[in-house]
């Protein structure tokens, strides 16, 4: 289960693929930023974290339930993750970054997720550039 917490998890790859298809370009795991955000939109000053529902305790999500055995252990361990997430988010926001958490479970609804991400990020630069190129081409021809 340790792998779930690492970089390049399956939900993360799905989110990256989705963003790419929508026309966004981004950097990955920028270690200069607090919490080393999974996906970084430098020019927009926005970051996205893809969080596992269990490890990061997605509130109200059925995947996030703490196991019935060793409750004290898990409560403490997962509580530390939640605290760390919150302080990293605060640190990023203090540096002027907008932070968006994508929960693992939302990847199952890619259409909704795409709309949420577009609302957060704004117009993709790549798509708008190609639209501009198209109108210029139409004008020239
Ligand atoms: Zn969830």
């Amino acid at each position: 289960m340790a792998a779930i917490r690492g970089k390049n998890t399956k939900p993360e790859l799905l989110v990256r693929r989705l963003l790419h298809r929508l026309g966004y370009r981004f950097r990955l795991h920028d270690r200069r930023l607090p919490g080393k955000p999974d996906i970084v939109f430098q020019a927009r000053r926005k970051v996205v974290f893809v969080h596992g529902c269990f490890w990061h305790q997605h509130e109200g999500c059925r995947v996030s339930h703490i196991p019935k055995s060793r409750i004290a252990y898990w409560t403490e361990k997962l509580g530390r993750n939640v605290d760390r997430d919150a302080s990293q988010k605060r640190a990023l926001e203090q540096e002027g970054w907008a932070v968006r958490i994508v929960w693992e479970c939302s990847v199952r609804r890619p259409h909704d997720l795409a709309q949420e991400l577009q609302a957060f990020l704004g117009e993709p630069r790549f798509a708008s550039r190609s639209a501009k190129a198209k109108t210029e081409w139409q004008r020239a021809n």
Side-chain angles (χ1 to χ4, degrees):
M1 239 171 143
I4 290 173
R5 308 172 66 188
K7 286 180 204 165
N8 307 318
T9 58
K10 197 177 166 210
E12 197 184 320
L13 293 175
L14 289 168
V15 173
R16 272 150 56 176
R17 208 173 302 150
L18 177 68
L19 284 164
H20 207 263
R21 218 169 36 224
L22 292 170
Y24 296 102
R25 297 296 176 265
F26 42 82
R27 285 204 233 160
L28 303 174
H29 311 120
D30 195 333
R31 57 186 69 243
R32 292 165 305 176
L33 297 176
K36 237 197 286 165
D38 297 321
I39 304 170
V40 180
F41 303 86
Q42 190 76 35
R44 297 166 198 265
R45 222 164 164 76
K46 288 174 182 176
V47 297
V48 169
F49 286 92
V50 183
H51 277 176
C53 296
F54 177 72
W55 291 108
H56 297 271
Q57 287 293 287
H58 187 194
E59 236 178 285
C61 176
R62 64 184 175 83
V63 188
S64 71
H65 287 317
I66 290 177
K68 290 210 166 55
S69 61
R70 306 180 70 199
I71 282 182
Y73 166 80
W74 284 113
T75 304
E76 207 221 304
K77 185 182 180 62
L78 297 172
R80 269 202 308 270
N81 289 350
V82 172
D83 290 347
R84 195 189 313 120
D85 292 341
S87 67
Q88 286 167 350
K89 184 168 184 276
R90 263 196 313 275
L92 282 161
E93 284 168 350
Q94 273 163 10
E95 291 181 23
W97 292 87
V99 180
R100 178 83 194 194
I101 308 298
V102 170
W103 293 100
E104 174 188 8
C105 61
S106 69
V107 172
R108 278 181 269 133
R109 303 183 320 272
H111 184 74
D112 295 343
L113 180 60
Q115 285 189 331
E116 282 167 34
L117 288 169
Q118 280 170 320
F120 172 65
L121 294 167
E123 187 83 348
R125 209 197 312 179
F126 189 74
S128 58
R129 191 186 290 161
S130 63
K132 198 177 160 216
K134 205 171 162 189
T135 42
E136 276 166 11
W137 183 86
Q138 282 167 343
R139 212 177 291 143
N141 290 274

